[in-house]
Amino acid sequence: MTDAHVHLEKGDYSVEWIEQFIEYAIQRNIDEIFFVEHTHIFKECHNLYNEMSVYNEYQKNWYQRKKEQARPLKDYIDYIEKLKHMDFPIRLKFGLEVCYSPEHEIDIAQLKQMYSFDFLVGSIHFIDGWAFSHLKQRWDRKDYDVDKLYERYYGLMLSLVNSGLFSGLAHPQSLQCYGAYPQKDFRPVYLQLAQALCSNDMYIEESSGLAVHYGDKRLGMNADMLKCMVKCNVPVLTASDAHSPQNVGLYVKEMNDLIQGCG
């Protein structure tokens, strides 16, 4: 089984740190991990956050702290090179999770050209600058037209996929982080998204991240979206979005059962 989305950023770039993740992975029968790092932790990626960092005072302060703590991307590159010369009991891949906004496709393309990663996974964390998934910036679905939010959210997702910049699409259900589930029938949009993923040779994540970090009771993609991806032969990779070793592989078996149930 695969865990296609695991973060290392909460520890130092040491062999001992990554071995802790591998230990938990083995306990949960995971034989492959895709390690990713958020672009917001690196100095070279600051321009990707121009809009979100001025959206409101909370986001301005949040990103200012990230900038002050930012590390050079070379630290991660050097770490990857070191690990690739070592033997581990499971398969490892290394990439970046890139916060996508249409305004920054050129910046992302330059980042992709400058550095050699096994993969880049794109994620929608902002809707026109609004960081909708921050735990300290909670919102109530009753205060929004949820269907309009999803129309914009899926529109950004389609732009991400059609940009041709990414290997995969991260946690496509993130907007439901506070229980704001899509209300209307979005199956035509899911079909459009699935076709775009196939055309661009991309995978999509079936992610337990919201269950792990937000207590979401609905595991992974909604049933209509997952069925569409499986029917259209989009590669669906299970992912925990773990930020600590003990969360590696959480609910991966259950998500694999959901995927197989759509076959």
Side-chain angles (χ1 to χ4, degrees):
M1 295 190 294
T2 295
D3 190 337
H5 195 127
V6 175
H7 291 278
L8 291 160
E9 64 200 53
K10 288 190 175 180
D12 59 350
Y13 286 153
S14 67
V15 176
E16 293 75 17
W17 179 233
I18 205 168
E19 285 178 338
Q20 293 182 49
F21 289 86
I22 293 170
E23 180 180 347
Y24 278 95
I26 292 171
Q27 291 176 18
R28 294 188 172 119
N29 297 315
I30 304 298
D31 51 29
E32 183 177 45
I33 296 178
F34 290 24
F35 285 106
V36 298
E37 292 289 59
H38 287 293
T39 42
H40 67 239
I41 73 171
F42 297 115
K43 294 178 179 179
E44 292 85 348
C45 302
H46 287 169
N47 54 347
L48 301 181
Y49 300 89
N50 290 341
E51 294 79 19
M52 74 80 61
S53 64
V54 297
Y55 183 83
N56 60 26
E57 196 66 20
Y58 163 77
Q59 292 180 199
K60 177 182 176 182
N61 293 334
W62 177 85
Y63 192 62
Q64 183 59 39
R65 290 192 297 272
K66 293 297 179 184
K67 286 181 71 173
E68 291 169 358
Q69 300 165 4
R71 61 189 76 171
L73 192 50
K74 186 176 184 299
D75 288 358
Y76 184 41
I77 299 293
D78 290 347
Y79 185 50
I80 293 171
E81 289 304 311
K82 177 181 178 180
L83 295 173
K84 286 194 170 183
H85 288 90
M86 301 178 65
D87 291 323
F88 295 99
I90 64 176
R91 296 185 301 277
L92 307 180
K93 291 186 177 181
F94 298 91
L96 280 182
E97 179 182 0
V98 182
C99 291
Y100 173 83
S101 295
E103 301 89 342
H104 296 293
E105 287 189 5
I106 292 175
D107 300 317
I108 297 167
Q110 291 173 344
L111 184 67
K112 184 177 180 178
Q113 291 168 2
M114 288 174 63
Y115 302 96
S116 180
F117 292 100
D118 294 329
F119 65 96
L120 292 185
V121 62
S123 57
I124 304 297
H125 285 127
F126 320 127
I127 296 178
D128 302 321
W130 172 44
F132 57 81
S133 61
H134 283 222
L135 287 166
K136 294 184 178 179
Q137 188 169 249
R138 295 182 68 95
W139 51 280
D140 193 323
R141 62 186 182 275
K142 296 176 183 176
D143 296 330
Y144 292 84
D145 185 327
V146 171
D147 286 335
K148 284 188 177 179
L149 279 181
Y150 270 97
E151 287 170 7
R152 181 59 177 149
Y153 178 60
Y154 290 141
L156 290 168
M157 209 173 284
L158 280 165
S159 295
L160 183 161
V161 173
N162 286 320
S163 70
L165 294 169
F166 301 100
S167 312
L169 173 61
H171 43 65
Q173 79 280 21
S174 286
L175 188 57
Q176 70 188 43
C177 55
Y178 300 124
Y181 304 105
Q183 302 299 305
K184 78 173 192 178
D185 184 359
F186 279 102
R187 282 179 292 181
V189 178
Y190 301 151
L191 178 59
Q192 189 180 2
L193 182 62
Q195 291 170 338
L197 286 161
C198 288
S199 296
N200 288 281
D201 194 25
M202 290 174 62
Y203 65 85
I204 191 170
E205 290 181 1
E206 172 73 333
S207 175
S208 61
L210 294 188
V212 174
H213 303 297
Y214 296 83
D216 190 3
K217 299 188 187 318
R218 300 189 186 183
L219 188 60
M221 288 179 264
N222 67 66
D224 286 339
M225 179 182 272
L226 180 59
K227 287 176 184 176
C228 183
M229 297 302 149
V230 172
K231 183 178 179 180
C232 292
N233 297 312
V234 177
V236 180
L237 301 186
T238 50
S240 68
D241 204 351
H243 286 67
S244 57
Q246 61 267 29
N247 288 338
V248 172
L250 273 182
Y251 304 116
V252 163
K253 181 183 182 301
E254 291 85 347
M255 291 188 294
N256 271 306
D257 290 343
L258 290 172
I259 295 166
Q260 291 171 8
C262 293

